[in-house]
Amino acid sequence: MAFLKHIGKHGDRKVVVIFRQIPGDDHMCLCIYPDLLATHWHDTIMRVLESPVGQAADEFADALNRNLLPDGRNILGALHAERMMKRVNTEQVLMTPTMNSNVKLVELNKILNEMKKGEDAVRKMAEIDGARGLVDPKQKRAAEAQYKTQQQQTPKAQSGYTAAPTDGALDDKSLAANMLTQAVRMHNEATGMINEAARMRKEAERMFPGVKMMDLPKMAQIPTVETEVPAPKKRGRKPAVAHATQ
């Protein structure tokens, strides 16, 4: 294989890096020396390392934890139980992904950690944008156009009026219904204004007891309109006319 992850050197010995960094001790890593392992251990671990799962793993320990030794034991658990992993300073490990390239593990860790931070930042920004409800401008304009069309199609139905048919005018019943709807609306608006006026009068008297209309400037006084209603005419027989007696 031309390129292999997790392979390096510690001094003149070949190492396989199990954990690139130890949590809480970032300058240290955990390695194994594959050439010092028994053949069945060595062959099994190297097959896992060269597999797609091993090469896709950010930490080789994740791939080992998903595979077994020939005796049925979990590879990562067995390495830990047999104390085959060694703590090594990342400054002393030289990663050799190919025969002609190498990089110190401490430098590789810095690069990978920065890349990880960048991926986290991109993901967090996407989550924030989603929480703010940001949408594609085209999608937003399409939704607004659809809403306006719906509003234009049903203006009368929302106000309580009867819409005229597309092929003719309203009949007398529909016209009467619209007039009644308008009358009810006007009555409700007038009632609301009367109630509001009464409330304001009470509030004014509560604020300054004894206030009178005459205390207001002329332009602010509310005119009082008195309407005289003529008395109804009495219906009946006309009174008799007395004739003079000669």
Side-chain angles (χ1 to χ4, degrees):
M1 188 176 291
F3 182 92
L4 281 178
K5 293 170 61 177
H6 317 302
I7 291 289
K9 286 185 177 181
H10 178 215
D12 59 352
R13 288 184 177 180
K14 181 179 178 180
V15 295
V16 173
V17 178
I18 308 300
F19 286 97
R20 291 186 296 104
Q21 291 177 299
I22 298 175
D25 206 1
D26 293 348
H27 69 288
M28 302 295 289
C29 66
L30 283 179
C31 302
I32 61 172
Y33 301 97
D35 294 341
L36 302 180
L37 299 176
T39 302
H40 65 285
W41 282 62
H42 174 277
D43 294 346
T44 301
I45 291 173
M46 294 309 295
R47 278 197 299 268
V48 174
L49 186 144
E50 295 173 1
S51 70
V53 173
Q55 290 301 294
D58 184 40
E59 295 280 10
F60 187 43
D62 296 334
L64 293 178
N65 196 42
R66 297 168 59 183
N67 287 271
L68 304 176
L69 289 168
D71 60 9
R73 288 186 293 169
N74 176 275
I75 299 177
L76 184 62
L79 289 173
H80 176 70
E82 300 291 340
R83 297 183 179 182
M84 292 183 178
M85 293 185 288
K86 182 178 180 180
R87 289 165 55 96
V88 181
N89 193 306
T90 55
E91 281 278 1
Q92 301 174 4
V93 176
L94 191 66
M95 304 303 293
T96 56
T98 68
M99 294 294 294
N100 301 320
S101 64
N102 57 72
V103 59
K104 282 187 175 182
L105 180 56
V106 64
E107 298 297 333
L108 179 62
N109 284 342
K110 288 179 181 179
I111 296 171
L112 295 177
N113 291 340
E114 288 299 320
M115 291 174 60
K116 185 66 175 176
K117 288 180 182 178
E119 292 172 1
D120 291 342
V122 171
R123 185 178 68 254
K124 288 179 181 178
M125 287 300 298
E127 292 174 354
I128 291 172
D129 289 344
R132 288 176 178 173
L134 299 180
V135 296
D136 183 7
K138 292 182 180 179
Q139 182 179 355
K140 182 178 180 181
R141 287 194 294 268
E144 291 174 347
Q146 182 180 2
Y147 175 78
K148 289 179 180 179
T149 301
Q150 292 175 349
Q151 292 294 101
Q152 293 172 357
Q153 288 176 349
T154 57
K156 295 299 183 182
Q158 293 178 356
S159 60
Y161 292 95
T162 301
T166 56
D167 56 350
L170 291 174
D171 56 18
D172 290 346
K173 181 179 180 181
S174 299
L175 286 172
N178 283 350
M179 291 176 64
L180 181 59
T181 299
Q182 186 177 2
V184 171
R185 178 178 58 79
M186 294 174 66
H187 177 270
N188 291 339
E189 290 176 356
T191 301
M193 295 181 66
I194 292 172
N195 292 338
E196 180 63 13
R199 184 194 66 78
M200 293 177 67
R201 283 176 182 269
K202 290 181 180 180
E203 188 66 25
E205 293 173 358
R206 187 181 300 110
M207 184 180 298
F208 194 91
V211 67
K212 297 179 181 179
M213 292 297 297
M214 298 303 297
D215 296 333
L216 299 176
K218 235 179 189 183
M219 294 298 293
Q221 291 185 18
I222 302 175
T224 302
V225 180
E226 295 182 359
T227 303
E228 294 183 0
V229 180
K233 296 180 179 181
K234 294 182 179 180
R235 301 178 63 183
R237 297 176 61 185
K238 294 181 180 180
V241 179
H243 297 279
T245 304
Q246 297 181 351

